[in-house]
Amino acid sequence: MLEVCSLALLVTIGLALSRGVLGPSIFDRVLAVNMIGTKTVLLLAVVAFLYDRPDFLDLALAYALINFIGVMAILQFVQNKSLRNPSPEKPAGQDNSTEA
């Protein structure tokens, strides 16, 4: 039963990977990365249960925290993109206003 669960998680990771590659926007790609990270945490938990290795759960928890912080950092980077690249300003000597 847990093997089927692992296989289902791998299939959903593949689907998320295809969404990340084919995603029309950056937000689709970030969502796909987040989904892959979450499914990887679930897969680590299933593997920990299958092989009776509870120390894998510590790795899964650490990976979940890193995944969350990484996705938040990427979203902050994308959100502040306009602040990093301001529109070019006109030189000081050129004024386009018309004086009568």
Side-chain angles (χ1 to χ4, degrees):
M1 181 65 186
L2 290 176
E3 292 85 5
V4 174
C5 182
S6 298
L7 184 63
L9 285 171
L10 288 173
V11 168
T12 58
I13 288 173
L15 291 172
L17 184 64
S18 68
R19 176 79 274 169
V21 171
L22 300 174
S25 72
I26 188 70
F27 296 110
D28 289 330
R29 291 182 173 97
V30 171
L31 182 64
V33 168
N34 188 20
M35 192 167 140
I36 290 170
T38 303
K39 299 300 178 186
T40 303
V41 169
L42 290 173
L43 189 62
L44 274 172
V46 169
V47 168
F49 187 77
L50 279 175
Y51 292 113
D52 197 26
R53 300 281 307 263
D55 50 336
F56 281 6
L57 294 176
D58 295 336
L59 294 173
L61 183 61
Y63 189 76
L65 290 172
I66 291 170
N67 181 40
F68 174 73
I69 291 170
V71 167
M72 290 297 124
I74 290 171
L75 288 174
Q76 188 72 24
F77 182 78
V78 170
Q79 183 181 12
N80 293 333
K81 188 176 185 179
S82 62
L83 296 177
R84 286 189 315 275
N85 297 325
S87 61
E89 296 182 21
K90 292 183 252 183
Q94 296 178 359
D95 188 17
N96 291 338
S97 63
T98 58
E99 295 181 17

